[in-house]
């Protein structure tokens, strides 16, 4: 006679048909990964046969089958009524005697190690298969004490196989209801109510980038993260550098973490948890330190290597013993199953007024009428093509989510179940917006864009957008290397999947403007700032040791993300090239920046770096670059210096870099100079004595050669990089670099805009062209055709 109950340590992945993916995976982890340090709380599971025998009692299975035979799951009212009726039957039915006896026996063994607290979770036997995710569809009961409460919770878990969302999901995935059985897992609880918990993926959930571990974390029990009830902290860890022994946390984002779920011994046994506010001081701190993040990433990599595929993992940190535990592990089912027949890229063709913003899910764009829905009772308001707006979209909404063109929520992070299901359905979602239900008006038309990086934007009106399919066929060889211009680090993982030789231009301005937003002098002198400015700086720097550390670390994170995405290809980082009018827009900028009539040719570039009133600001950038290259090990990062007016200025800035630990040639460091002033081309040989090569900035070179203000619309029609005078200077720079065996590339806009210019540059002997990501494939193909004309 086969047992009805099996301890986790006796289970493995081969037991999915008997105990479902979740419980089989727990057994697999305990059996195979404990020796490598992965800690998993113990417990036991009931079998699928036990569930089937339970339903067979008194013909309950036949009544369920008859109820579902004629059900239209798209009728949300009928679906709710059928589900309620079936769940009631199951909860009221007694467990078979043998099943109850075996549960009591295994519980007695488990509680002999200490009564403690237990979680009772569901594990469907068709769950967590590579082509389906049943995540969050069935109930979980936390902080359960005593055998009688355990037995009741198991019946509730059995009933949850017929939640509305689970019924609907099985129909849409073509699973026969009777073919899916349920196993109940009883697992000792980790006291993460006193610590932290969350979810991690062994790939980037938006781009599918495989070399990162993505971790979310919040205080208290993990249900808040899973349900999307909080906006958690986020961390990215780069696997190759982690394996090489570097502290490979490349990106952090501080979540609001306003609530947490904790144990409540005063409440009824089945619902013995409560939600409480998180103190403001804790909200402004990260819920994990870097060592915890790195340890979780090591666990994640071990689990992924064992299973041989990307994984979706829940974890908890025990607030009593301080240890990290793995609570669940299942296959990731969206990005890892994406086809290889080309990728769709969505792109807005124009932008409008931003009404609200949040975390982008899905890299797509959707438009339609806003439907603000307060609860599942109002789901029938949503019609096909509407934009569903609600406070917190959890998996209960799945029956109606597939109707929506986009989903927008006040709360939730990128690993909540709503986000997971939105990705699986292929619907863009913007979560954690904070106030979407009040900022948007019911019935108004909006466009939800998730195609612009980590941040999703809700625009007023229906905006035009296009969908471009990139064919990933192998591209032919050409005599020039094509690189990418990348400003936004949050798009780096996506762009890294394009064919390229790396990044020819990474702009620090984007990182400073978007991830920091504070003038560097205001960071250094924050204690001297007037009240409101002082508070604004401290608010931006929340979660970091000081505003100064925030500034340095955010630059480090932005550059490290780019370096990790393209590792080990070259990433050429241009040090900051803000003009005074641009610096004035940052917090505190108006105090420190002059008013210049023509900032385009004013206080900018290398001249700033060596100026007495800015050198301490430049030192912050140098500290970040040193940290990227030495602490994090990204020796693929090379530095580029913009707007070097004179050879003396070149000597001074190279000496300044060396003083701050960035010595040319040391640890393989190459220094590249922007060639963007006529003097740079005319005295190329002299400038190149101090640098390892040129990267041509065709925008400024054209402006200064032709005497055109490129910010002026009055002369815009005469701005052309292909002018003969500009080409003469370009040819001079390219020829000199090649003769001296120095690097020469171009990172200006010209070759992205004008294919004939790209062709001319290739023929002139340019070594690399750095292009906008949306032009690289087409330019590559056309250059190959020109270089190899068809017979």
């Amino acid at each position: 006679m086969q047992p009805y109950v099996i301890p986790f340590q006796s289970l493995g992945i081969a037991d999915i048909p008997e105990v479902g993916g979740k419980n089989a995976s727990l057994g697999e982890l305990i059996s195979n990964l404990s020796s490598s340090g992965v800690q998993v709380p113990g417990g036991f599971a009931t079998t699928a046969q036990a569930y089937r025998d339970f339903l067979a009692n008194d013909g309950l299975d036949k009544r369920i089958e008859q109820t579902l035979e004629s059900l239209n799951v798209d009728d949300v009212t009928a679906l709710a009524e059928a589900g309620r009726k079936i769940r009631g039957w199951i909860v009221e039915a007694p467990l078979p005697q043998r099943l109850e006896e075996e549960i009591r026996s295994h519980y007695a063994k488990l509680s002999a190690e200490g009564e403690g607290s237990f979680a009772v979770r569901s594990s469907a036997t068709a769950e967590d298969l590579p082509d389906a995710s049943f995540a969050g569809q069935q109930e979980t009961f936390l902080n359960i004490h005593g055998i009688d409460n355990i037995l009741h919770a198991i019946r509730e878990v059995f009933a949850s196989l017929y939640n509305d969302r689970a019924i609907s999901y099985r129909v849409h995935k073509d699973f026969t209801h009777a073919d899916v059985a349920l196993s109940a897992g009883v697992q000792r609880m980790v006291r993460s109510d006193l610590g932290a918990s969350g979810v991690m993926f062994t790939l980037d959930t938006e781009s599918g980038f495989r070399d990162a571990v993505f971790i979310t974390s919040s205080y208290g029990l993990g249900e808040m993260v899973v349900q999307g009830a909080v906006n958690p902290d986020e961390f990215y860890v780069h696997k190759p550098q982690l394996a090489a022994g570097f502290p490979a946390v490349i990106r952090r984002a501080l979540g609001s973490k306003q609530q947490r779920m904790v144990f409540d011994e005063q409440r009824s046994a089945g619902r013995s948890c409560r939600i409480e506010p998180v103190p403001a001081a804790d909200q402004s701190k990260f819920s994990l330190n870097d060592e915890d993040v790195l340890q979780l990433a090591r666990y994640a990599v071990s689990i992924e290597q064992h299973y041989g595929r990307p994984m979706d993992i829940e974890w908890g940190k025990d607030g009593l013993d301080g240890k990290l535990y793995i609570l669940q592990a299942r296959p990731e089912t969206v990005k890892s199953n994406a086809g290889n027949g080309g990728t769709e890229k969505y792109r807005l063709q124009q932008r409008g007024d931003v009404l609200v913003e949040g975390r982008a899910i899905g890299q797509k764009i959707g438009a339609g009428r806003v439907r603000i829905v307060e609860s599942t009772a109002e789901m029938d308001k949503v019609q096909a093509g509407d934009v569903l707006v609600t406070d917190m979209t959890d998996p209960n909404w799945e029956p109606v989510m597939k109707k929506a063109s986009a989903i927008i929520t006040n709360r939730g992070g990128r690993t909540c179940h709503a986000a997971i299901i939105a990705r699986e359905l292929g619907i863009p979602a913007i979560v954690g917006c904070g106030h979407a239900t009040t900022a948007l008006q019911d019935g108004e038309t909006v466009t939800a864009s998730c195609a612009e990086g980590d941040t999703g934007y809700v625009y007023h009106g229906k905006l035009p957008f296009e969908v471009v399919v990139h064919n990933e066929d192998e591209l032919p060889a050409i005599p020039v290397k094509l690189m990418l211009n990348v400003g936004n680090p949050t798009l780096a993982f996506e762009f890294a999947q394009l064919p390229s030789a790396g990044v020819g231009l990474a702009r620090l301005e984007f990182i400073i403007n978007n991830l920091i937003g504070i003038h560097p002098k205001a960071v250094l002198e924050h204690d001297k700032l007037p009240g409101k400015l002082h508070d604004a700086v401290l608010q931006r720097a929340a979660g970091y040791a000081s505003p100064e550390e925030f500034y340095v670390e955010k630059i480090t994170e932005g550059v490290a993300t780019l370096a990790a995405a393209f590792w080990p290809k070259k990433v050429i980082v241009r040090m900051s090239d803000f003009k005074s009018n641009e610096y004035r827009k940052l917090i505190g900028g108006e105090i420190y920046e002059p008013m210049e009539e023509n900032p385009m040719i004013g206080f900018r570039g290398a001249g700033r770096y060596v100026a007495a009133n800015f050198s301490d600001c430049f030192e912050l950038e140098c500290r970040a670059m040193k940290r990227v290259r030495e602490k994090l090990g990204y020796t693929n990062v090379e530095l580029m210096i913009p707007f070097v007016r004179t050879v003396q200025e070149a000597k001074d800035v190279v000496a300044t870099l060396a003083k701050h630990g960035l010595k040319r040639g040391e640890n393989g460091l190459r220094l590249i100079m922007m060639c963007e002033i006529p003097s740079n081309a005319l005295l190329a040989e002299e400038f190149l004595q101090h640098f390892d090569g040129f990267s041509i900035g065709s925008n400024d070179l054209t402006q200064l050669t032709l005497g055109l203000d490129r910010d002026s619309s009055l002369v815009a029609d005469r701005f052309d990089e292909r002018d003969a005078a500009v080409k003469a200077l370009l040819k001079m720079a390219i020829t000199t670099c090649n003769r001296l065996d120095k690097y020469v590339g171009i990172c200006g806009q010209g070759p992205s805009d004008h294919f004939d210019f790209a062709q001319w540059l290739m023929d002139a002997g340019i070594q690399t062209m750095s292009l906008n990501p949306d032009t690289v494939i087409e330019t590559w193909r056309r250059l190959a055709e020109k270089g190899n004309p068809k017979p």
Side-chain angles (χ1 to χ4, degrees):
M1 184 183 299
Q2 294 295 315
Y4 276 159
V5 180
I6 305 172
F8 286 159
Q9 64 266 28
S10 300
L11 293 170
I13 207 67
D15 296 304
I16 286 178
E18 276 306 299
V19 296
K22 191 179 301 176
N23 288 335
S25 185
L26 287 170
E28 183 78 9
L29 293 172
I30 291 171
S31 304
N32 294 280
L33 293 177
S34 297
S35 59
S36 62
V38 177
Q39 302 184 86
V40 183
F44 60 83
T46 64
T47 65
Q49 193 56 50
Y51 174 80
R52 291 190 177 98
D53 289 352
F54 164 64
L55 286 192
N57 265 354
D58 221 17
L60 181 53
D61 52 354
K62 302 299 181 191
R63 279 186 285 160
I64 292 171
E65 184 182 347
Q66 289 168 3
T67 302
L68 296 177
E69 255 178 359
S70 57
L71 177 66
N72 174 11
V73 295
D74 292 326
D75 182 340
V76 292
T77 305
L79 174 63
E81 174 58 26
R84 184 195 59 76
K85 183 191 298 184
I86 293 168
R87 293 192 297 275
W89 292 338
I90 294 173
V91 170
E92 291 164 12
L95 295 173
Q97 183 178 348
R98 179 162 74 89
L99 174 57
E100 182 171 332
E101 288 173 355
E102 289 191 32
I103 292 170
R104 287 180 179 275
S105 172
H106 281 81
Y107 181 78
K109 292 175 187 173
L110 201 58
S111 58
E113 304 165 15
E115 174 60 29
S117 176
F118 298 87
V120 182
R121 304 180 187 274
S122 66
S123 182
T125 58
E127 169 179 49
D128 301 334
L129 298 181
D131 62 343
S133 172
F134 284 62
Q137 291 187 8
Q138 285 78 50
E139 294 292 340
T140 292
F141 297 88
L142 304 175
N143 192 23
I144 307 299
H145 300 266
I147 185 59
D148 290 338
N149 293 325
I150 293 284
L151 291 167
H152 177 79
I154 286 173
R155 284 200 302 278
E156 291 273 11
V157 163
F158 285 172
S160 70
L161 189 63
Y162 291 93
N163 278 336
D164 302 353
R165 59 185 182 261
I167 295 170
S168 173
Y169 184 88
R170 289 194 295 273
V171 169
H172 291 121
K173 280 288 183 180
D174 292 324
F175 284 103
T176 302
H177 295 294
D179 289 347
V180 182
L182 206 65
S183 164
V186 177
Q187 185 179 31
R188 184 175 292 280
M189 284 203 70
V190 170
R191 290 304 303 266
S192 52
D193 63 310
L194 304 174
S197 55
V199 180
M200 57 183 173
F201 288 81
T202 62
L203 47 58
D204 175 43
T205 53
E206 303 313 307
S207 66
F209 180 71
R210 295 288 184 96
D211 278 347
V213 177
F214 173 50
I215 299 170
T216 60
S217 172
S218 193
Y219 299 115
L221 301 176
E223 296 303 301
M224 299 292 281
V225 176
V226 170
Q227 292 170 5
V230 293
N231 298 335
D233 298 331
E234 296 181 356
F235 307 88
Y236 284 90
V237 179
H238 188 217
K239 293 178 192 172
Q241 296 302 81
L242 181 71
F246 290 98
V249 183
I250 56 172
R251 211 159 99 209
R252 304 165 186 82
L254 186 70
S256 55
K257 308 182 299 295
Q258 293 176 339
Q259 298 175 309
R260 63 185 169 200
M261 183 181 285
V262 298
F263 287 3
D264 185 352
E265 306 305 344
Q266 306 305 313
R267 299 185 68 188
S268 64
R271 303 286 180 184
S272 47
C273 296
R274 61 184 166 82
I275 294 171
E276 66 178 23
V278 172
D282 289 336
Q283 291 180 35
S284 62
K285 298 175 184 172
F286 285 104
S287 51
L288 287 179
N289 60 39
D290 277 8
E291 190 45 55
D292 286 336
V293 172
L294 292 170
Q295 186 59 57
L296 284 171
R298 292 183 195 104
Y299 284 176
V301 170
S302 294
I303 292 167
E304 179 180 56
Q305 288 174 347
H306 177 74
Y307 281 90
R309 61 171 297 127
M311 298 295 289
D312 167 358
I313 302 161
E314 292 182 29
W315 61 271
K317 181 177 182 179
D318 194 304
L320 296 178
D321 65 20
K323 294 180 180 177
L324 296 161
Y325 295 87
I326 298 302
L327 308 178
Q328 294 181 35
R330 62 177 74 87
E332 193 277 338
T333 58
V334 180
K335 285 296 180 182
S336 53
N337 286 339
N340 294 320
T343 55
E344 286 186 340
K345 300 295 180 187
Y346 285 66
R347 185 172 62 184
L348 276 178
Q349 294 175 308
Q350 71 178 63
R351 287 174 174 78
D353 295 332
V354 177
L355 303 176
V356 72
E357 61 184 65
R359 304 297 280 162
I361 307 297
Q363 296 183 322
K364 292 186 176 182
I365 298 171
R369 292 178 307 166
V370 167
R371 282 289 168 256
I372 298 174
V373 181
E374 300 291 338
S375 71
T376 52
E378 300 177 345
M379 285 198 299
D380 57 354
K381 288 170 57 176
V382 180
Q383 303 300 310
D386 286 349
V387 174
L388 171 62
V389 180
T390 187
D391 178 55
M392 184 180 79
T393 306
D394 64 35
N396 284 311
W397 297 70
E398 190 274 337
V400 77
M401 285 168 74
K402 62 182 180 293
K403 291 183 178 180
S405 61
I407 298 160
I408 301 166
T409 70
N410 292 339
R411 294 188 284 165
R414 284 174 51 200
T415 59
C416 68
H417 281 128
I420 292 170
I421 290 178
R423 288 188 198 100
E424 189 171 322
L425 293 172
I427 298 169
I430 302 175
V431 301
C433 296
H435 61 294
T437 50
T438 55
L440 303 176
Q441 301 297 314
D442 198 76
E444 73 173 317
T445 299
V446 299
T447 299
S449 171
C450 295
E452 299 167 72
D454 278 359
T455 302
Y457 299 97
V458 181
Y459 295 101
H460 175 69
K462 186 171 185 178
L463 302 180
F465 64 90
E466 64 179 351
V467 184
V468 179
V469 178
H470 288 305
N471 193 321
E472 306 300 336
D473 292 344
E474 187 174 340
L475 293 164
I478 53 177
V480 61
K481 291 181 178 178
L482 298 190
M483 304 178 82
L484 301 177
N485 293 335
V486 182
N488 185 350
T490 66
L491 290 170
F493 293 156
E494 176 188 348
F495 291 155
Q497 296 173 70
L498 291 169
S500 79
V503 176
L505 172 61
R507 301 177 181 90
L508 277 201
E509 301 90 83
F510 187 97
I511 295 169
I512 295 170
N513 191 54
N514 291 275
L515 303 186
I516 298 174
I518 310 171
H519 192 285
K521 275 288 188 188
V523 164
L524 291 166
E525 300 181 359
H526 67 276
D527 284 337
K528 300 178 183 177
L529 295 174
K532 285 186 178 180
L533 275 180
H534 176 264
D535 293 345
V537 170
L538 291 184
Q539 185 177 0
R540 284 273 183 145
Y544 292 81
S546 67
E548 188 174 327
E549 176 61 18
F550 167 70
Y551 193 95
V552 172
E553 191 56 33
K554 277 299 173 189
I555 292 178
T556 302
E557 290 173 14
V559 174
T561 299
L562 290 163
F566 288 87
W567 178 262
K569 297 174 183 176
K570 297 295 184 186
V571 174
I572 301 175
V573 177
R574 186 178 71 189
M575 306 301 270
S576 64
D577 193 25
F578 279 124
K579 291 79 178 172
S580 53
N581 61 321
E582 295 166 336
Y583 263 126
R584 286 179 64 85
K585 296 174 184 176
L586 301 176
I587 294 172
E590 291 186 1
I591 297 174
Y592 298 105
E593 290 296 324
M595 289 289 291
E596 294 187 278
E597 286 296 321
N598 194 343
M600 189 69 76
I601 54 173
F603 190 38
R604 62 176 286 200
R608 265 189 184 263
Y609 306 160
V610 297
N613 64 344
F614 195 82
S615 58
D616 54 351
C617 298
F618 182 60
E619 183 184 351
L620 298 179
E621 296 179 30
C622 293
R623 280 164 54 187
M625 294 303 101
K626 185 175 170 66
R627 195 174 290 185
V628 168
R629 285 182 50 84
E630 295 183 9
K631 181 183 175 184
L632 298 180
Y634 291 111
T635 51
N636 60 329
V637 168
E638 301 182 345
L639 303 184
M640 182 155 66
I641 305 300
F643 223 74
V644 186
R645 291 179 166 97
T646 66
V647 176
Q648 185 60 48
E649 206 168 72
K651 289 174 65 175
D652 291 345
V653 79
V654 170
T656 300
L657 288 166
K659 183 177 76 172
H660 296 313
L662 295 166
K663 186 174 182 181
R664 179 184 168 204
E666 206 166 80
N667 199 18
L669 175 60
R670 286 204 314 178
L671 299 182
I672 310 297
M673 192 187 102
M674 289 284 285
C675 176
E676 53 189 341
I677 302 171
S679 63
N680 302 153
L682 293 168
L683 298 179
E685 192 155 341
E686 288 85 344
F687 279 105
L688 288 167
Q689 290 176 28
H690 307 285
F691 288 93
D692 296 295
F694 279 169
S695 181
I696 297 166
S698 56
N699 296 349
D700 273 320
L701 187 60
T702 303
Q703 169 180 244
L704 297 173
T705 302
L706 301 181
L708 295 169
D709 180 351
R710 63 187 175 98
D711 278 351
S712 171
S713 60
L714 299 176
V715 292
D717 60 317
R718 277 161 274 180
F719 186 95
D720 192 337
E721 300 94 327
R722 297 166 293 181
D723 184 272
V726 180
K727 282 185 174 181
L729 290 170
L730 288 171
K731 185 69 173 175
M732 192 179 298
I734 293 167
T735 301
T736 304
C737 284
N738 285 329
R739 177 168 55 81
L740 297 178
D741 197 25
K742 299 276 188 171
Y743 167 81
V744 61
I746 187 167
C747 60
Q749 185 66 26
S752 293
D753 289 346
H754 308 294
F755 174 73
D756 61 331
F757 187 47
Q759 171 74 38
W760 181 87
L761 287 164
M762 183 173 75
D763 293 341
I766 198 92
Q767 295 168 23
T768 72
M769 280 187 270
S770 196
L771 306 173
N772 296 343
D774 59 350
T775 66
V776 67
I777 291 178
E778 180 64 19
T779 302
W780 191 318
R781 288 202 172 114
R782 292 184 67 186
L783 287 173
E785 288 172 5
K786 289 288 182 181
N788 302 285
K790 295 177 182 176

